[in-house]
Amino acid sequence: SDACGLKKGDRVIVMLPRIPEWWSITVGCMRTGIIYIPATTQLTANDIFYRLQASKAKCIITNDTLAPVVDSVVSKCQFLKIRLMVSEGSRDGWLDFKELLKAAHSNHNPVKTKSQEAMTIYFTSGTTGYPKMVEHSHSSFGIGMTSTGRFWLDLNPSDILWGLSDPGWVKFAFSCFFSPWIQGACIFTHSMLQFEATTVLNCLSRFPITSFCGTPTVYRMLAQHDITSYKFKSLKHCLSGGEPLNPEVMEKWKSKTGMDIYEGYAQTETVLICSVCKGMKIKPGAMGKASPPYDVQVIDENANILPPGKEGDIAIRIKPTRPFCLFSHYVDDPEKTAASERGDFYITGDRGIVDEDGYFWFIGRADDVILSSGYRIGPFEVENALMEHPAIAEAAVVSSPDPIRGEVVKAFVILSPDFASHDPEKLTKELQEHVKKMTAPYKYPRKLRIKVFIGKLEIRTRIYHSCL
Ligand SMILES: *[C@@H]1O[C@H](CO)[C@@H](O)[C@H](O)[C@H]1NC(C)=O
């Protein structure tokens, strides 16, 4: 940090792929009190410009491929003073990480930071407006991910965890950084840029990976392959997070591998909110029970706690004491911060119910719930019904405006390869009938778009919801 001219409290955008330097740089930031802001390498020049200006970051760290993209906006960025490149080559106006590292002292005294001081900021996109900046303190991830590592990931020092995520997303902090670090476990990582099912399957059989964490999409894509021909010799714990897990995917995985999938539910603003841990009964379709130290409840619009079985807003108690592992606030946005609270609770923005056993069931994002002819329809349930059909590899359900019903259910589906040549019109009718049978008839997708499976799919969460 001295060589760069950075000091405690300065903000740095770290936009790097999964390379070892990502970890050394962020640990370096923690030790020097510099606030690091992870960014995905998929950002465009406009996205980078927005993030540099909004965060007032003094420095950006990236690689040689992305450096020219940064340079295309640098003249408009009055806060950006330092550009640092992790690469083999050099570039005008950029500091060279490898050179700086060579020249650095081997001794370093970390600065003193308070537990509630800012450690990192994540940009997170909502369904509307610009991305918000979510600030987390040193204790938030540093201590708050203890229960994630110990109970949900079930890690000990002999484990090797492979979490499939990009450093720009908070899921990476869960499954590739803090939780395994706290537990003294080893992590496995792979530099693949795009998800490739055969690469993943080969790694799981070649290397002694004991624990694997992916999104439901990952499991779906893997289940498309002939998994039974692979032997996962060390794998013993499979985890899913990032979006709700469909019961159908779980069944498929179990029938092919003999292993269950343990679901975890979290947000950029939180650490783990709910999870299914080893030893707990698995209820397919449920996100598990509240994860310590959170007190999670389903509440109504007046912040009253609802009884089991009643749909409401999934919320975390923040009074009298805000949990140390909840985000501190939205940076420079007290209004958004205030809007995320209701009575004694932080509102996740997700709708759900809790059952008699304390298991939480996801219904949909509050913003995503479809209001059709006075009916409230949760997209997740319709997606699950579609997924049960053999023709469907992927399904995303959204609201679509309608002059008569206000909104109607619209589904985007990707077909399994075997169904690629089926008549789309006939298939649409069949899928609609199928959903009517699987759930209440009023929930069937009146609009349906079919795409043929293309073999490769980027690892992403429910981005398609905001693509409409
Ligand atoms: C820099 O990162 C991008 C995004 O992950 C990647 O496509 C590119 O190959 C990297 N460049 C180098 C030189 O490693």
PDB file of all heavy atoms in Angstrom, residues 330-339:
ATOM      1  N   TYR A 330     -26.253   0.954   3.100  1.00  0.00           N
ATOM      2  CA  TYR A 330     -25.968   1.239   1.695  1.00  0.00           C
ATOM      3  C   TYR A 330     -25.179   2.541   1.669  1.00  0.00           C
ATOM      4  O   TYR A 330     -25.652   3.557   2.187  1.00  0.00           O
ATOM      5  CB  TYR A 330     -27.267   1.374   0.881  1.00  0.00           C
ATOM      6  CG  TYR A 330     -28.072   0.096   0.796  1.00  0.00           C
ATOM      7  CD1 TYR A 330     -29.337   0.002   1.359  1.00  0.00           C
ATOM      8  CD2 TYR A 330     -27.555  -1.024   0.145  1.00  0.00           C
ATOM      9  CE1 TYR A 330     -30.068  -1.182   1.283  1.00  0.00           C
ATOM     10  CE2 TYR A 330     -28.279  -2.202   0.066  1.00  0.00           C
ATOM     11  CZ  TYR A 330     -29.531  -2.275   0.637  1.00  0.00           C
ATOM     12  OH  TYR A 330     -30.247  -3.448   0.562  1.00  0.00           O
ATOM     13  N   VAL A 331     -24.002   2.506   1.086  1.00  0.00           N
ATOM     14  CA  VAL A 331     -23.101   3.668   1.119  1.00  0.00           C
ATOM     15  C   VAL A 331     -23.759   4.864   0.425  1.00  0.00           C
ATOM     16  O   VAL A 331     -24.306   4.719  -0.684  1.00  0.00           O
ATOM     17  CB  VAL A 331     -21.757   3.315   0.431  1.00  0.00           C
ATOM     18  CG1 VAL A 331     -20.828   4.521   0.408  1.00  0.00           C
ATOM     19  CG2 VAL A 331     -21.100   2.134   1.125  1.00  0.00           C
ATOM     20  N   ASP A 332     -23.688   6.018   1.070  1.00  0.00           N
ATOM     21  CA  ASP A 332     -24.229   7.277   0.531  1.00  0.00           C
ATOM     22  C   ASP A 332     -25.707   7.197   0.185  1.00  0.00           C
ATOM     23  O   ASP A 332     -26.183   7.940  -0.672  1.00  0.00           O
ATOM     24  CB  ASP A 332     -23.468   7.700  -0.754  1.00  0.00           C
ATOM     25  CG  ASP A 332     -21.999   7.950  -0.498  1.00  0.00           C
ATOM     26  OD1 ASP A 332     -21.666   8.273   0.661  1.00  0.00           O
ATOM     27  OD2 ASP A 332     -21.191   7.791  -1.430  1.00  0.00           O
ATOM     28  N   ASP A 333     -26.440   6.304   0.817  1.00  0.00           N
ATOM     29  CA  ASP A 333     -27.852   6.179   0.485  1.00  0.00           C
ATOM     30  C   ASP A 333     -28.704   5.866   1.717  1.00  0.00           C
ATOM     31  O   ASP A 333     -29.271   4.775   1.854  1.00  0.00           O
ATOM     32  CB  ASP A 333     -28.031   5.087  -0.593  1.00  0.00           C
ATOM     33  CG  ASP A 333     -29.294   5.294  -1.399  1.00  0.00           C
ATOM     34  OD1 ASP A 333     -30.200   6.009  -0.922  1.00  0.00           O
ATOM     35  OD2 ASP A 333     -29.385   4.740  -2.509  1.00  0.00           O
ATOM     36  N   PRO A 334     -28.782   6.852   2.639  1.00  0.00           N
ATOM     37  CA  PRO A 334     -29.546   6.610   3.871  1.00  0.00           C
ATOM     38  C   PRO A 334     -31.014   6.268   3.597  1.00  0.00           C
ATOM     39  O   PRO A 334     -31.629   5.531   4.362  1.00  0.00           O
ATOM     40  CB  PRO A 334     -29.435   7.937   4.647  1.00  0.00           C
ATOM     41  CG  PRO A 334     -28.861   8.932   3.699  1.00  0.00           C
ATOM     42  CD  PRO A 334     -28.169   8.180   2.605  1.00  0.00           C
ATOM     43  N   GLU A 335     -31.551   6.763   2.470  1.00  0.00           N
ATOM     44  CA  GLU A 335     -32.959   6.475   2.175  1.00  0.00           C
ATOM     45  C   GLU A 335     -33.176   5.002   1.871  1.00  0.00           C
ATOM     46  O   GLU A 335     -34.112   4.383   2.369  1.00  0.00           O
ATOM     47  CB  GLU A 335     -33.426   7.291   0.967  1.00  0.00           C
ATOM     48  CG  GLU A 335     -33.859   8.684   1.362  1.00  0.00           C
ATOM     49  CD  GLU A 335     -34.115   9.569   0.162  1.00  0.00           C
ATOM     50  OE1 GLU A 335     -34.413   9.025  -0.934  1.00  0.00           O
ATOM     51  OE2 GLU A 335     -33.993  10.792   0.322  1.00  0.00           O
ATOM     52  N   LYS A 336     -32.270   4.441   1.054  1.00  0.00           N
ATOM     53  CA  LYS A 336     -32.369   3.007   0.731  1.00  0.00           C
ATOM     54  C   LYS A 336     -32.147   2.175   1.984  1.00  0.00           C
ATOM     55  O   LYS A 336     -32.804   1.159   2.186  1.00  0.00           O
ATOM     56  CB  LYS A 336     -31.323   2.629  -0.330  1.00  0.00           C
ATOM     57  CG  LYS A 336     -31.744   2.983  -1.747  1.00  0.00           C
ATOM     58  CD  LYS A 336     -31.847   1.726  -2.622  1.00  0.00           C
ATOM     59  CE  LYS A 336     -32.602   2.008  -3.912  1.00  0.00           C
ATOM     60  NZ  LYS A 336     -31.853   2.894  -4.829  1.00  0.00           N
ATOM     61  N   THR A 337     -31.199   2.621   2.821  1.00  0.00           N
ATOM     62  CA  THR A 337     -30.932   1.887   4.058  1.00  0.00           C
ATOM     63  C   THR A 337     -32.192   1.879   4.920  1.00  0.00           C
ATOM     64  O   THR A 337     -32.612   0.826   5.415  1.00  0.00           O
ATOM     65  CB  THR A 337     -29.767   2.520   4.841  1.00  0.00           C
ATOM     66  OG1 THR A 337     -28.657   2.661   3.959  1.00  0.00           O
ATOM     67  CG2 THR A 337     -29.369   1.676   6.034  1.00  0.00           C
ATOM     68  N   ALA A 338     -32.809   3.053   5.061  1.00  0.00           N
ATOM     69  CA  ALA A 338     -34.027   3.149   5.877  1.00  0.00           C
ATOM     70  C   ALA A 338     -35.147   2.304   5.272  1.00  0.00           C
ATOM     71  O   ALA A 338     -35.900   1.649   5.996  1.00  0.00           O
ATOM     72  CB  ALA A 338     -34.461   4.606   5.995  1.00  0.00           C
ATOM     73  N   ALA A 339     -35.219   2.287   3.951  1.00  0.00           N
ATOM     74  CA  ALA A 339     -36.287   1.540   3.287  1.00  0.00           C
ATOM     75  C   ALA A 339     -36.115   0.032   3.453  1.00  0.00           C
ATOM     76  O   ALA A 339     -37.054  -0.740   3.234  1.00  0.00           O
ATOM     77  CB  ALA A 339     -36.330   1.897   1.803  1.00  0.00           C
TER      78      ALA A 339
END
